[in-house]
Amino acid sequence: MGEESKGQRHTHSPESSAGESSLRQTIDFLSSLISLSHSIKVFSAKWQSIRNKLEELSSGLIALENCDSSENPEINGLILSMMVTITESYDLARRCVDLSYSGKLLMQSDLDVIYAKLDTHSRKLSEIYNAGVLTRGFAIIVSRPGFGACRDDMRFYVRDLVTRMKIGDIEMKRQALTNLHSAVVEDEKYVNVTAELGDIVHVLVSFLDSPETEIQEGSAKVVSVISGFDSYKGAVIGAGAIAPLIRVLECGSQLGKEASARCLQKLTENSDNAWSVSAHGGVTALLKICSLGDCRTELIGPACGVLKNLAGVEEIRRFMVEEGAISTFTKLSRSKDETVQINSIEFLQNIASGDEFIRQMVVKEGGIRALVRVIEPRSACSSKTREISLRAIENLCFSSTSSIGILLNYSFVDHLIFFLRNGEVSVQELALKVAVRLSGTSEEAKKALGDAGFMAELIKFLDSKSFEVREMAAEALAGMVLVPRNRKRFVQEDRNIALLLQLLGPEQEHSGNKKLLLSILMSLTSSNSGRRKIASSGHLKNIEKLAEAEVYDAKKLVRKLSTNRFRTMFSGFWHF
């Protein structure tokens, strides 16, 4: 029983081996103290800070095991000093667990003293590593916990990596950054753990200014991952990341620049950070990257994305224009890389939004031609890129008669009807929306749409299962038949009028907006041929029933049909 008690005391208390100073025993005692600290229910904030330091020291000592340190008196002295502090910490931990301390203020003071001693040990250990007095054989980083590991294990693993970043040599720092990047990329939980250990973000940000290329690249990659989470963008900004990220853009390696640009793109999704990027010269650096022809698309793509995000700030937008951004991005919109092309098109759209002067500059620099080229059927652009280009054309061009004229000259309508007939569903629907919007801009646009054969396509959509599609098709047709030559072309097809009248029947579940359909028919009565075909249709009774139901537009249409030689075809009397 005595031997068992002695063994238990050796396992759980540093006092039993106070005279021993081996590195392994010190690590074990630290582990025991960390475990005990989790049982403490009082002074939780102070013990959390102390536990962070204990974990930091534990990681540093584990790394020290893999170095040739046995003959180093400085390390032996540090370990002896640590043992004294660990013993004091263990005593305080026991008293906090047992609630056997004499007073709260005194205990708080004792805990502050212990924290300061542990911090001193940590800094001393870091100095030893940085002094290069150790011969590192190999540094085995703690294995990453398996899938489904508890949060404490994950936290210890991350804390171990960060300790090595702080006190290790270049290779140890590089390896730790590589492992941390793998962890945060593969499992979102590691992002949460990393961000919650606040000093880690500051360490990573400080590495952005490292003269060692691999350290700079590794930290930029990890910071970029963390910046992709809205909850932690504030922590990255608060650590002062913007300025060093821009310095990496200006002077870093290719991989460092790419990671930095991706990070800035994520951080500037919130326009609140736009001024910080601008204040540190970020706009100039990014424009330079975009204007150079020798940069990789992996860098130009996110650089375009950052500038696109910043274009919403008026003062920054004007500065970009003065620096030649319109010309630069018009050229980039022809890029063969999808990301670069999409970001460039969205940049042109954003920078010209609500600003007529800049919109005119986009037109002058050939922006409309560049956008139309994207939607040419023979181009190799993706459906996504075409959709974005169509939206940009709609936003930039439809408010100006001159811009619409340019679009028509560039065969825009021909491209539009091609995708209305042959495009993927998403592109087809957007082509329909754009055609409807275009049909309401000018008479020339209505004529061009009619000449291209749009009315035949729109008629098909009147019987679509989608109410929105039926509504848009009817709206476009109602506008287009106001043009005489479109009206004549429409009436020539007997099935067109028959379908309109049929869709007005009460049994039609998928009919379009009856008001719009009646409006189309009313326009068609402007021609003798149109009136005759409506009056002689077998579906005329559908209009009569609507008129009997006091539908004003139907009664108005019947009255129009009842005049002159068509009067005898109706026996009823219609009152208005």
Side-chain angles (χ1 to χ4, degrees):
M1 183 71 174
E3 287 296 315
E4 183 180 6
S5 300
K6 184 178 179 181
Q8 289 176 345
R9 188 178 179 192
H10 177 83
T11 302
H12 298 289
S13 174
E15 289 92 329
S16 62
S17 300
E20 300 176 20
S21 60
S22 74
L23 178 58
R24 183 69 253 168
Q25 287 173 327
T26 306
I27 293 171
D28 290 341
F29 293 155
L30 273 170
S31 178
S32 175
L33 179 55
I34 290 169
S35 177
L36 178 61
S37 71
H38 285 288
S39 304
I40 300 171
K41 306 300 182 183
V42 293
F43 310 110
S44 55
K46 290 187 181 295
W47 274 109
Q48 180 62 61
S49 297
I50 291 171
R51 186 160 48 247
N52 289 345
K53 281 297 172 187
L54 293 172
E55 290 175 349
E56 190 174 296
L57 285 171
S58 178
S59 298
L61 293 180
I62 290 171
L64 198 61
E65 277 192 301
N66 302 299
C67 300
D68 184 11
S69 60
S70 58
E71 301 300 325
N72 190 305
E74 190 173 7
I75 292 176
N76 292 332
L78 177 60
I79 292 174
L80 285 171
S81 178
M82 281 187 191
M83 281 297 298
V84 173
T85 304
I86 293 169
T87 302
E88 294 175 5
S89 302
Y90 199 95
D91 177 62
L92 293 176
R94 273 296 178 199
R95 284 194 278 151
C96 285
V97 169
D98 300 336
L99 301 179
S100 58
Y101 50 88
S102 57
K104 288 185 177 181
L105 291 178
L106 180 58
M107 177 55 73
Q108 286 177 339
S109 176
D110 290 342
L111 293 176
D112 289 338
V113 170
I114 284 296
Y115 177 84
K117 288 182 178 181
L118 293 172
D119 185 57
T120 299
H121 296 325
S122 178
R123 285 188 281 108
K124 183 63 177 176
L125 185 58
S126 180
E127 289 171 5
I128 292 173
Y129 271 98
N130 293 334
V133 299
L134 300 174
T135 302
R136 184 176 60 83
F138 56 94
I140 302 175
I141 295 181
V142 175
S143 298
R144 190 201 308 179
F147 182 78
C150 69
R151 196 174 188 82
D152 284 341
D153 288 345
M154 297 171 71
R155 190 171 175 278
F156 180 79
Y157 174 69
V158 173
R159 173 61 72 184
D160 177 76
L161 294 178
V162 177
T163 299
R164 292 163 187 264
M165 291 180 205
K166 289 181 177 179
I167 67 176
D169 60 10
I170 298 301
E171 177 57 26
M172 193 180 290
K173 285 180 168 66
R174 185 201 64 76
Q175 189 178 1
L177 282 167
T178 298
N179 286 31
L180 181 58
H181 180 254
S182 296
V184 295
V185 167
E186 295 171 16
D187 191 339
E188 182 179 324
K189 293 177 182 177
Y190 280 103
V191 177
N192 300 332
V193 170
T194 301
E196 287 168 5
L197 296 172
D199 60 327
I200 298 183
V201 177
H202 285 83
V203 171
L204 292 169
V205 169
S206 70
F207 281 177
L208 292 171
D209 283 320
S210 172
E212 300 294 333
T213 299
E214 288 186 309
I215 302 301
Q216 186 184 87
E217 291 173 354
S219 60
K221 287 162 65 177
V222 177
V223 173
S224 179
V225 175
I226 296 173
S227 298
F229 294 79
D230 290 339
S231 302
Y232 304 127
K233 287 178 181 177
V236 175
I237 295 295
I242 296 293
L245 284 170
I246 293 171
R247 286 194 287 272
V248 174
L249 274 182
E250 294 172 329
C251 308
S253 66
Q254 183 67 30
L255 292 177
K257 288 179 179 180
E258 292 169 12
S260 178
R262 290 194 300 271
C263 186
L264 286 170
Q265 184 176 9
K266 296 168 184 175
L267 293 176
T268 53
E269 288 173 355
N270 181 345
S271 59
D272 292 344
N273 300 322
W275 278 115
S276 181
V277 174
S278 178
H280 289 95
V283 175
T284 300
L286 291 161
L287 284 173
K288 182 178 179 181
I289 289 170
C290 293
S291 62
L292 294 175
D294 57 351
C295 290
R296 300 199 321 172
T297 54
E298 289 84 355
L299 173 57
I300 295 178
C304 291
V306 181
L307 291 170
K308 177 191 70 176
N309 293 341
L310 302 183
V313 180
E314 183 177 354
E315 291 83 352
I316 297 177
R317 181 167 64 237
R318 291 286 176 172
F319 175 74
M320 292 179 186
V321 171
E322 292 171 2
E323 294 295 305
I326 303 299
S327 176
T328 295
F329 279 86
T330 300
K331 293 175 183 176
L332 287 174
S333 67
R334 305 186 188 107
S335 172
K336 294 180 180 179
D337 180 83
E338 182 182 65
T339 301
V340 173
Q341 194 171 38
I342 287 174
N343 280 331
S344 300
I345 293 170
E346 290 182 336
F347 173 87
L348 291 172
Q349 179 178 321
N350 288 4
I351 201 168
S353 178
D355 193 313
E356 181 61 23
F357 172 75
I358 297 180
R359 194 190 67 78
Q360 288 293 341
M361 286 195 67
V362 172
V363 174
K364 184 178 179 181
E365 292 286 350
I368 294 179
R369 181 70 184 112
L371 292 173
V372 173
R373 280 178 177 168
V374 173
I375 62 168
E376 288 179 354
R378 64 176 180 270
S379 75
C381 297
S382 66
S383 295
K384 181 180 179 181
T385 307
R386 287 194 171 107
E387 289 178 40
I388 290 170
S389 184
L390 279 171
R391 291 192 182 95
I393 288 171
E394 183 181 6
N395 292 329
L396 290 175
C397 304
F398 284 12
S399 60
S400 166
T401 303
S402 61
S403 295
I404 290 171
I406 296 173
L407 280 175
L408 299 180
N409 290 336
Y410 287 147
S411 302
F412 175 67
V413 170
D414 294 332
H415 303 334
L416 207 55
I417 197 168
F418 175 86
F419 289 110
L420 193 63
R421 290 169 175 166
N422 307 297
E424 296 179 10
V425 174
S426 59
V427 179
Q428 188 181 47
E429 290 181 355
L430 184 57
L432 175 60
K433 291 178 182 179
V434 172
V436 171
R437 174 91 187 275
L438 181 62
S439 70
T441 58
S442 69
E443 186 165 339
E444 288 303 311
K446 290 183 177 71
K447 290 178 181 178
L449 290 166
D451 294 344
F454 261 89
M455 289 189 298
E457 302 304 318
L458 293 172
I459 277 288
K460 298 175 186 176
F461 287 118
L462 288 178
D463 200 27
S464 169
K465 292 182 179 181
S466 166
F467 174 79
E468 183 184 10
V469 170
R470 299 195 303 271
E471 188 89 358
M472 286 191 295
E475 181 183 348
L477 281 171
M480 290 178 65
V481 295
L482 295 174
V483 177
R485 75 185 190 197
N486 286 343
R487 189 162 55 240
K488 181 179 179 181
R489 185 180 285 113
F490 189 92
V491 170
Q492 286 174 347
E493 289 287 340
D494 293 341
R495 60 182 180 180
N496 290 348
I497 289 178
L499 178 61
L500 289 175
L501 292 170
Q502 186 177 351
L503 290 173
L504 289 169
E507 72 283 358
Q508 290 295 323
E509 296 180 3
H510 293 150
S511 62
N513 185 307
K514 285 184 168 58
K515 186 176 181 65
L516 287 171
L517 296 178
L518 290 168
S519 174
I520 296 169
L521 289 168
M522 181 61 74
S523 295
L524 299 180
T525 61
S526 297
S527 71
N528 290 334
S529 176
R531 290 198 301 274
R532 185 165 52 250
K533 289 186 176 182
I534 294 172
S536 61
S537 171
H539 299 288
L540 181 63
K541 61 181 182 296
N542 290 336
I543 299 178
E544 294 177 322
K545 289 180 180 179
L546 290 174
E548 290 172 355
E550 297 296 319
V551 175
Y552 176 79
D553 290 329
K555 293 171 68 177
K556 186 177 178 182
L557 179 58
V558 168
R559 182 174 181 179
K560 184 73 176 289
L561 293 170
S562 301
T563 58
N564 302 328
R565 56 186 174 147
F566 298 101
R567 188 184 302 276
T568 58
M569 298 179 67
F570 298 92
S571 57
F573 293 90
W574 309 102
H575 305 284
F576 300 90

